[in-house]
Amino acid sequence: MALRNCRDVVHSVAVASRSAEHRDGGSSRESRNSTPHLDAVSLGIIEQLQEDGRRPYAAIGKAVGLSEAAVRQRVQKLLDQGVMQIVAVTDPLTVGFRRQAMVGLHVEGDVESVAEALTEMAEVEYVVMTAGSFDILAEIVCEDDDHLLDVINKRIRALPGVRSTESFVYLKLKKQTYMWGTR
C-alpha cells in the first residue's frame, strides 16, 4: 500500500506502547514501569526528531552538541529502550481506511484484561484506560462501515467484561500531531 500524505514522527512510549509490546513480545511493559533516565541531550535529540523524523544525525548533533556517531548511538538506545519510535504517520482516509471511530467502553470487572484484549486487535490503534464516563477509549481504523460494525458488534462487545460501548464516528480528521515536546 503506497503511503501518501505521510510524515515521519517520533512517538513517546505512551502512544507507541502497543506496537512496542507486539514487537518485543510484551517486554515493553517493564521498560515503561522502570522509566529510563533521559538527560538534557537525549531530550534534545527527541525534540529534534519530533520536529522532523528524517533530520540527519549530523544536523541533530550540531543542535545538541554531539558528533553524528554519538547521536546515532543515542537514537538507537532510545529506540531499544522503547522511549520512542520513528514511524510514518498517515491520514488513514487517504490510504484506504474510510472509517475511523473512537469507542468508549464501560467495563465490569478487570479493566486491564479488556484493554489488553483490545491491543491484540489489528484495527485498534489506540487504547487508553480512563477516569470519567468510560473505563476505556479505543480508536478503531477500518476499511468501511461494515468492517467497523463487525469489529464493534462481533469482537469488542463479545469481550468478557464489556458491559456497553458508545461509538464516535470520525467525519473528518482536522489535526493529528505528536509535537508535545519533552519535559
Side-chain angles (χ1 to χ4, degrees):
M1 169 182 325
L3 297 178
R4 296 172 299 200
N5 299 329
C6 70
R7 56 191 167 83
D8 292 309
V9 68
V10 177
H11 285 276
S12 77
V13 74
V15 170
S17 63
R18 186 176 66 82
S19 298
E21 283 183 42
H22 286 295
R23 184 183 65 245
D24 299 335
S27 65
S28 70
R29 175 168 283 129
E30 290 144 15
S31 66
R32 280 191 313 234
N33 291 337
S34 59
T35 305
H37 171 72
L38 299 178
D39 62 12
V41 174
S42 291
L43 293 174
I45 290 169
I46 292 168
E47 287 176 348
Q48 290 286 309
L49 288 169
Q50 282 181 320
E51 289 175 16
D52 180 359
R54 297 179 294 178
R55 184 166 287 154
Y57 290 150
I60 295 170
K62 286 181 185 175
V64 299
L66 291 178
S67 69
E68 179 179 349
V71 170
R72 182 176 287 108
Q73 288 176 344
R74 290 259 190 147
V75 167
Q76 190 58 55
K77 184 176 178 182
L78 292 167
L79 293 168
D80 291 344
Q81 290 176 326
V83 172
M84 67 178 191
Q85 289 182 316
I86 302 173
V87 298
V89 176
T90 64
D91 176 349
L93 295 173
T94 66
V95 292
F97 296 98
R98 302 278 179 236
R99 185 55 67 215
Q100 289 180 269
M102 184 67 68
V103 179
L105 290 86
H106 293 277
V107 176
E108 291 178 346
D110 185 17
V111 174
E112 289 264 359
S113 64
V114 174
E116 189 62 35
L118 290 167
T119 68
E120 299 298 321
M121 295 181 188
E123 297 87 353
V124 178
E125 292 298 319
Y126 186 76
V127 177
V128 291
M129 294 182 295
T130 65
S133 298
F134 297 102
D135 298 306
I136 297 174
L137 291 174
E139 185 175 48
I140 315 291
V141 179
C142 295
E143 294 171 15
D144 54 33
D145 288 333
D146 289 336
H147 186 195
L148 179 63
L149 178 62
D150 182 67
V151 170
I152 293 170
N153 196 42
K154 294 182 180 168
R155 294 173 53 208
I156 293 176
R157 289 182 180 154
L159 291 173
V162 174
R163 187 176 73 228
S164 64
T165 64
E166 185 172 347
S167 301
F168 304 90
V169 175
Y170 297 1
L171 299 176
K172 186 174 187 178
L173 179 64
K174 290 297 284 184
K175 181 178 182 180
Q176 179 174 316
T177 182
Y178 301 95
M179 298 296 295
W180 51 76
T182 59
R183 305 282 183 274

